[in-house]
Structures are given as C-alpha cells and as structure tokens.
Amino acid sequence: MILALNAGSSSLKFALYERRASLPLVLKGSVASLNSNPRLRVSGAGEPARQRDLGAGPLDIGAAVEIVADEIRSMVGVSRLEAVGHRIVHGGRTFTSPAFLDDDVVEDLRRLIPLAPIHQLQNLEIADRAKKLFPGAAQVGCFDTAFHTGRPAVAKAYALPRELSETGIQSYGFHGVSFGYISSELRKSYGPPAGGKVIVAHLGSGASLCAMLDGKSVATTMGFSPLDGLVMSTRCGSLDPGVVLYLLQERSMRPDEVAKLLYDQSGLLGISGMTGDMQRLLESDRPEAREAIDLFVYRTGREIGSLAAALGGLDMLVFTAGIGENSPAIRDMIGKAARWLGVQIDPDLNLQNGTLVSTPTSKVRVLVIPTDEEVAVAREVLQLLETR
C-alpha cells in the first residue's frame, strides 16, 4: 500500500491506496483546524465519512501524523505499507522528480528551508515523524517545484547580477503537484494538447496561477518563494522589494518580524483586519472585507492577462482548490475581470458547480476541476517504486 501525506497551512490530508496501477482508494481523510479545535475526518472507499473532535487545540503537525498512523494501524495495519509519499514544497534546482528521502536527500532539502521557511520545515518534520512511525516503508518526496522546471530560462530569471543567479536565486514556482494533477486530467479529456493554451487558477489559502501549453508549465505567478504572486489568505503576494527595505531600514523591523508580517499577517487577513477566510469575507458587510475581495480579484485578473500574454492567447481557464472549486461568486468576478480575453461564465452553470461553467458563445472554455494532490503524490510514488 501507498500512503500520501499532504500538509497545508492548518491541516494534514492523507490517503491510502492499494499498490496497483489504478491505485484503488482504501481510505482518505484529514486532520483539520490544527490551530484551534482540531478534528479528524476519515472515510473508507464508498463509505460515509466519520468525524471526531481532537480537543480544543492547538495540535502540532507531528501529533497529527501520529493520529493518522493510529487510524491506519486500526484499519489495515502498518505492515502492508510499502511507501509514504510526501508533498514537499521546495525541491530547488536539484530535485526535479520524486526522490527517496534518505539522509543525504533530507540534508539537501534542509538547505532549502530559507526559501520556504514555514512550508519546508513542516514538510521535513512530517517526513521525519513518518519514518519513525512507519519504519518498514520507503519515504518518498514529491516536489511542488518540479512541475515548473521545464519552463524557458527567461521565465525563471531575475535581473540580478549573474553570480547571484548562479547560486540558485531564480523563479521556481509552486503548487506543482496540483497543477500536474490538473494537467493529467486535461490530457484524459483532450489528448496530448491538454486543452491547448490553458491557465489554471489554484485558488486556496495559498494561491497561484500556471500558464500551460500542451499540459506543460510555461509561466507561473509564484517565484523564488511561496510569497510571490496573488494575494493569499495571510500572505502578501507580489510586493515591491523597496517595501521590505523600508521596513528593515526605516521601521527598524527585524528580519524575523518582516517574515512574520509577510507570511502570517498580510493578504486577505491584513487588508480586512478580520479574517483570511474567503467565505467569511463574502458573508461580511464590512467595507474592509469588500476591499480584500476586490484586491484578490483585481490581482488575479491582472495576472491572468500577464499569463495569457506569455501563452500568446487563451483557450481554457480552469479553477481549482478550495476557493476555485467552491466559490461561484469569486469565479464570476474573476471571469468578468477576464472578459476582454473572451471569457464568459454562465451564471446558472456556475452556481451548479459543474465541470463546465462557460457559456456556449464563450471564446474561452471555463472549467472547474477539483484537485487531488494526494492521488498525484501516490502516482509519483508508484512510478518511482516501479522503476527502482
């Protein structure tokens, strides 16, 4: 069996699959709301989900992994587990495909912590805990940056002195496991062209866009770190570097204070002053909530235009992840922002949350495709095991 572990900012998703080509699902679930009132949700294949509160919280990520291990022990036993796949945010320039997480690989990945300090540290903590809890299973890393490694050199470059760029300061791009899954789904429906010139909007607590040509990444909104690009739940998105210099030099903020500000106190939370949760903002009548929504939509619409320019046109726009899959209102607003590209969203189809939400006359096909990062991780693990 193959276990996939996928950590978010405040949750740990997991899924267990039989080791067969079709990866039959055995069970899946999540340990959600780690920061407050955590809860466990588990469902077997074809079975209704069951939930259990885990106390008032908070719950650290290591304890969440132990809870997942207990569930697996109780349902199928640990001895049948052959491999644990981990979605790891940063693979740098070295890790462009799945890799076994031996000591040398883990040490290389630790060197990348400054590039994604919150995510990378958490990912490696989960891998370390899983190694102890599942000692007979191979540990495999699947990297969010890997999907973007084939982009043209010009799409990765920053206008910095060459000696800095050669040390690895470049655009990497993230959410690659999710984008890779959407690409594979598009290939199933549209063959090798995978929808042609496509922009995928992964909109959740973390958010980014990816421009794909024939299913391959050619441009994306996140760059050197997961801070770049769109406005996110608590992350700032694109920011003039002069702001960081100002905070350091004129406001005498320490680097760790700036990091806390940009990662945890900005984005929708910072603008609204109330929450980083998009659904709560949509339900609020406060003007600050509307300002946060408007900036999120404006930045997303602007970046869609930028990526359409990189593609030389647009055939398809795909929404995915928490906001993209579940918020018709945000899809509608972004669709209107991209109307000049020929995007037309059908109001009725959009409210039904079906796959196709564009009008028959829309020049751009607009789809909603739920992402499944867990099965994407499991596929990469299976491929690595089969070629070992």
Side-chain angles (χ1 to χ4, degrees):
M1 289 188 175
I2 296 172
L3 172 65
L5 295 177
N6 177 17
S9 56
S10 62
S11 67
L12 176 65
K13 296 179 182 178
F14 61 93
L16 185 67
Y17 304 91
E18 293 280 0
R19 183 185 166 175
R20 299 207 301 268
S22 59
L23 289 171
L25 179 67
V26 178
L27 65 88
K28 70 182 306 180
S30 65
V31 184
S33 302
L34 295 177
N35 298 326
S36 178
N37 300 310
R39 62 187 180 277
L40 172 69
R41 178 184 173 91
V42 184
S43 61
E47 297 179 0
R50 53 186 174 82
Q51 299 191 60
R52 174 163 59 93
D53 291 333
L54 300 172
L59 187 71
D60 67 61
I61 197 69
V65 178
E66 292 188 9
I67 289 168
V68 172
D70 288 341
E71 284 296 316
I72 293 172
R73 288 191 194 99
S74 67
M75 294 186 70
V76 298
V78 172
S79 62
R80 295 185 61 196
L81 193 62
E82 297 177 73
V84 182
H86 303 267
R87 183 178 72 89
I88 295 180
V89 165
H90 219 305
R93 293 191 293 184
T94 302
F95 299 102
T96 60
S97 59
F100 290 109
L101 296 176
D102 60 30
D103 291 344
D104 290 339
V105 168
V106 170
E107 186 60 32
D108 287 342
L109 293 173
R110 289 194 184 282
R111 296 190 184 100
L112 298 172
I113 288 174
L115 281 65
I118 298 173
H119 301 83
Q120 193 80 351
L121 190 60
Q122 181 187 63
N123 295 158
L124 295 177
E125 181 182 349
I126 292 169
D128 181 63
R129 189 66 63 97
K131 184 177 180 180
K132 295 173 183 175
L133 290 168
F134 308 113
Q139 305 295 319
V140 177
C142 304
F143 306 100
D144 258 344
T145 48
F147 184 72
H148 303 291
T149 55
R151 288 176 298 152
V154 69
K156 303 177 188 178
Y158 292 124
L160 293 170
R162 185 172 294 275
E163 57 267 25
L164 287 175
S165 300
E166 289 174 350
T167 66
I169 299 179
Q170 64 172 58
S171 169
Y172 289 97
F174 299 90
H175 289 136
V177 172
S178 175
F179 290 133
Y181 174 80
I182 299 299
S183 175
S184 69
E185 292 299 292
L186 292 175
R187 282 199 174 93
K188 289 179 185 177
S189 299
Y190 301 97
K197 299 173 180 177
V198 178
I199 293 175
V200 180
H202 178 107
L203 306 179
S205 294
S208 69
L209 306 178
C210 180
M212 299 182 191
L213 183 62
D214 298 336
K216 298 178 180 179
S217 175
V218 296
T220 188
T221 54
M222 281 183 174
F224 180 71
S225 78
L227 277 176
D228 200 9
L230 306 181
V231 173
M232 292 169 255
S233 178
T234 63
R235 281 174 264 166
C236 60
S238 294
L239 187 72
D240 182 341
V243 174
V244 177
L245 295 176
Y246 172 80
L247 295 174
L248 292 169
Q249 297 171 350
E250 302 301 324
R251 300 292 293 269
S252 300
M253 292 181 70
R254 301 190 309 271
D256 63 314
E257 291 176 323
V258 174
K260 180 73 173 176
L261 173 72
L262 301 184
Y263 275 100
D264 300 328
Q265 300 170 343
S266 298
L268 297 173
L269 172 63
I271 302 162
S272 70
M274 55 182 285
T275 181
D277 185 288
M278 180 61 78
Q279 187 57 42
R280 287 182 58 193
L281 292 172
L282 288 166
E283 293 168 353
S284 174
D285 58 3
R286 289 177 54 181
E288 296 89 349
R290 187 68 210 191
E291 289 173 8
I293 294 167
D294 287 346
L295 185 56
F296 179 88
V297 171
Y298 168 76
R299 287 279 189 87
T300 304
R302 193 176 73 177
E303 291 297 335
I304 286 172
S306 172
L307 295 190
L311 286 167
L314 185 60
D315 300 319
M316 184 180 293
L317 175 63
V318 180
F319 290 97
T320 194
I323 298 171
E325 295 169 25
N326 300 304
S327 180
I330 294 298
R331 292 196 299 263
D332 180 68
M333 285 184 267
I334 292 172
K336 288 175 179 174
R339 185 180 295 163
W340 64 278
L341 283 165
V343 173
Q344 293 181 4
I345 293 180
D346 183 289
D348 294 329
L349 293 176
N350 189 34
L351 287 173
Q352 293 168 18
N353 274 339
T355 301
L356 179 68
V357 297
S358 50
T359 67
T361 58
S362 179
K363 295 179 180 178
V364 176
R365 189 182 296 249
V366 184
L367 305 179
V368 180
I369 302 178
T371 192
D372 192 336
E373 292 174 314
E374 293 76 58
V375 77
V377 166
R379 287 171 182 170
E380 292 193 16
V381 172
L382 180 63
Q383 182 182 15
L384 185 63
L385 292 177
E386 296 295 325
T387 57
R388 180 168 55 175

